[in-house]
Amino acid sequence: MASTNTAPSGVDSADEVLHEFGIVRVYKNGRVERPLVAPPVAPGLDNATGVESRDVHLGAYSVRLYLPPAAVTAPSARLPVVVYVHGGGFVAESAATPGCQRFLNRLTTACPALGVSVEYRLAPEHPLPAAYDDSLAALKWTLAAADPWVAAHGDLDRVFLAGDSAGANICHYLAIHPDVVDAQTQHQGQGGGARARRRLKGAVLIHPWFWGSEAVGGEPRHPAARAMGARLWLFACPGADGMDDPRMNPMAPGAPGLGTMACERVMVCAAEHDILRWRGRAYAEAVAAARGAEGEGSVELLETEGEGHVFYVFKPDGDKAKAMLDRIVSFVNAP
């Protein structure tokens, strides 16, 4: 939660904390701290999985690519491509943090898949929409097969979005963005006529960070509590149209239609002790409803009992983290 603190007597006012959210702290002199973020890890060969990773710098943003052993043992095979967007409230974390690196190593070797993990710019130094813009550029870069690994090993007919928390929010933004939706390709239907094919094979939204002015399920209903839940969003996105901005509340009136999402299938993961679980569930139901009979079976909801927000990052070797990974792998490998 944001707070404004007064500097104690004798303390330089430049060291006064203007904004405190736990994961990010901003001082009066402009200094920004992220006290909970672990030091980054370098790319390279992961001995546990055999996955090779490397960074590609693309101007304002970068990506960390992951190549599983399957790309070496069967070099002619085309692998699904997973574009991953990390969480952190738009203000913290990185594609290079140990938890993100470990998850991508395990995911890409288990599928197997080629991974593209997005290192986007963070607020407050780069307020939203910087993270959205960088992630969109990274997706377009991936779809253009501009990198030798993607060109040689990626199956661009099987591109998936995946992300956790704020990263899952960004995944929705990408799946609904006109540049992605309008890029639908044409292929021949069984009756001989051409029909639109969704550009992306699927999207996996892990504990997505959505919010809104009206409570969903067991969310707190008091207006003050609603506003408190949106403070970090409004801090990261000072130009937002409140907490019902379509980027934060995709089910708000006037938001782009969920039936237009540019992915064939959608998987939403929720956790029992996560305050965002009700909205994640409502989102999955809304996407399924928007697709109607045509989309029957194209939306999956995985609810993990007894766990909290992004639990798999903190307990990566637990049975429930492994079960969630197995479900995601099955989703990626489904026909």
Side-chain angles (χ1 to χ4, degrees), residues 104-305:
L104 265 294
N105 281 329
R106 293 180 177 184
L107 176 64
T108 53
T109 194
C111 286
L114 190 147
V116 181
S117 186
V118 184
E119 178 74 348
Y120 54 83
R121 290 170 292 168
L122 299 175
E125 298 94 332
H126 304 282
L128 292 172
Y132 290 122
D133 293 343
D134 293 349
S135 300
L136 179 61
L139 175 59
K140 291 180 177 180
W141 176 85
T142 302
L143 293 172
D147 183 86
W149 280 7
V150 180
H153 304 288
D155 182 353
L156 296 183
D157 285 332
R158 292 188 292 159
V159 175
F160 292 81
L161 297 172
D164 65 275
S165 195
N169 174 296
I170 293 174
C171 287
H172 169 79
Y173 174 86
L174 298 179
I176 211 78
H177 194 281
D179 288 0
V180 183
V181 173
D182 293 345
Q184 294 178 146
T185 57
Q186 299 288 324
H187 74 288
Q188 291 298 116
Q190 290 184 338
R195 65 182 180 89
R197 179 172 64 81
R198 296 181 192 266
R199 187 67 182 90
L200 305 174
K201 189 68 174 178
V204 181
L205 280 67
I206 305 171
H207 309 164
W209 183 24
F210 299 132
W211 200 246
S213 59
E214 297 295 327
V216 171
E219 291 177 352
R221 282 169 161 68
H222 193 280
R226 305 306 306 159
M228 190 176 299
R231 281 185 181 175
L232 182 57
W233 157 250
L234 297 173
F235 171 76
C237 190
D241 185 17
M243 67 183 83
D244 285 324
D245 185 300
R247 293 169 293 185
M248 179 48 65
N249 185 2
M251 296 174 285
L258 296 175
T260 66
M261 291 177 68
C263 43
E264 293 180 14
R265 297 182 288 117
V266 178
M267 178 179 182
V268 180
C269 300
E272 181 183 9
H273 297 319
D274 184 1
I275 194 173
L276 301 177
R277 68 188 182 278
W278 292 289
R279 199 159 290 265
R281 184 186 305 155
Y283 173 82
E285 293 170 351
V287 173
R291 294 184 167 212
E294 175 265 336
E296 186 175 351
S298 67
V299 181
E300 295 184 25
L301 175 63
L302 171 63
E303 298 187 77
T304 302
E305 296 181 354

